[in-house]
Amino acid sequence: KQEVTQIPAALSVPEGENLVLNCSFTDSAIYNLQWFRQDPGKGLTSLLLIQSSQREQTSGRLNASLDKSSGRSTLYIAASQPGDSATYLCAVRRDDKIIFGKGTRLHILP
Amino acid sequence: DTGVSQDPRHKITKRGQNVTFRCDPISEHNRLYWYRQTLGQGPEFLTYFQNEAQLEKSRLLSDRFSAERPKGSFSTLEIQRTEQGDSAMYLCASSLGTSGRLEETQYFGPGTRLLVL
């Protein structure tokens, strides 16, 4: 059974710092891995999707990497801003389902 | 509006009542998904449609839950005889699938928050 774990569960960093969020999964047979952002009480916004054949994706200040063999992904956020404060969810996909982690609650201190 | 929409955004009901939620996907998307998210957890898959066909149902979807997508466009999720444990955010997502593998990006709606008293 696929399990997705995100560490840390919560993180507070001063504005301007670079930071890394971690995601691990137990079954490497995935189609893709996706990072989402969720603001309190809101739906999910897709940030980056990495196909199983890819090793990383970049969008603006965000960079996501995928090491399928070791079951790990990282989301790197450069030059953090208060507007980056949200919960970040990692999700892996195989067949019909997306399996989500519990998320990392990120708070950027002004 | 080109995004996924859900209605209502909030629903408070008494235990034992029936509730129905609606999801309108992005217009050209052929795939539609329902998820449930409880506080402090990631979303959990409930069910999935390709066009009007319901192709997968999670074991989380008890007999009290039913989902439909009659014309391959909007979808409804009904919960009968609601229980307090049904309180959660119900999220809908849609995608445009062009291959046999399900590897495209899913776009999520804002969710319907259900509170069962």
Side-chain angles (χ1 to χ4, degrees):
Chain A
K1 177 187 173 185
Q2 179 72 273
E3 293 183 1
V4 180
T5 303
Q6 291 188 246
I7 295 173
L11 181 64
S12 294
V13 299
E15 179 180 2
E17 284 197 3
N18 304 326
L19 59 98
V20 175
L21 306 180
N22 296 294
C23 172
S24 62
F25 48 97
T26 54
D27 185 351
S28 62
I30 62 171
Y31 288 164
N32 59 46
L33 183 143
Q34 198 163 357
W35 284 92
F36 293 87
R37 169 186 172 138
Q38 187 173 32
D39 293 289
K42 306 288 186 181
L44 279 66
T45 300
S46 178
L47 298 173
L48 291 164
L49 182 148
I50 311 175
Q51 300 292 355
S52 61
S53 59
Q54 298 174 324
R55 296 190 69 85
E56 68 176 337
Q57 283 287 328
T58 297
S59 176
R61 294 182 294 108
L62 305 179
N63 176 276
S65 69
L66 174 63
D67 184 342
K68 213 173 67 159
S69 60
S70 67
R72 294 180 181 179
S73 176
T74 61
L75 178 66
Y76 175 83
I77 302 177
S80 58
Q81 303 170 359
D84 295 331
S85 297
T87 295
Y88 290 80
L89 292 155
C90 165
V92 298
R93 184 160 192 183
R94 169 75 183 191
D95 299 323
D96 300 345
K97 306 173 189 64
I98 290 183
I99 308 297
F100 285 85
K102 294 183 179 182
T104 294
R105 294 187 311 279
L106 177 63
H107 184 207
I108 305 301
L109 305 167
Chain B
D1 185 8
T2 58
V4 178
S5 62
Q6 293 186 244
D7 183 71
R9 296 290 307 276
H10 304 274
K11 179 70 176 179
I12 300 174
T13 191
K14 293 182 179 179
R15 188 177 56 180
Q17 298 294 306
N18 300 341
V19 294
T20 300
F21 310 141
R22 176 178 170 126
C23 171
D24 286 89
I26 294 171
S27 59
E28 67 269 23
H29 283 185
N30 57 344
R31 292 174 178 160
L32 187 148
Y33 304 78
W34 285 98
Y35 294 85
R36 181 174 68 187
Q37 185 179 25
T38 53
L39 200 62
Q41 303 294 315
E44 296 173 293
F45 170 83
L46 292 178
T47 190
Y48 147 68
F49 291 86
Q50 178 148 318
N51 300 312
E52 66 275 10
Q54 189 173 16
L55 298 186
E56 183 74 23
K57 289 174 63 173
S58 164
R59 282 172 289 182
L60 294 174
L61 216 65
S62 75
D63 292 343
R64 297 184 297 105
F65 288 71
S66 62
E68 294 182 345
R69 195 183 184 200
K71 298 181 181 179
S73 56
F74 74 91
S75 175
T76 58
L77 176 68
E78 180 183 16
I79 308 174
Q80 296 181 327
R81 305 181 303 282
T82 52
E83 301 173 355
Q84 288 181 322
D86 297 332
S87 296
M89 172 84 89
Y90 290 84
L91 293 162
C92 174
S94 72
S95 66
L96 180 62
T98 57
S99 69
R101 284 172 27 135
L102 300 167
E103 55 192 8
E104 72 286 355
T105 298
Q106 294 186 8
Y107 296 88
F108 281 77
T112 294
R113 185 173 294 281
L114 172 66
L115 176 60
V116 182
L117 301 176

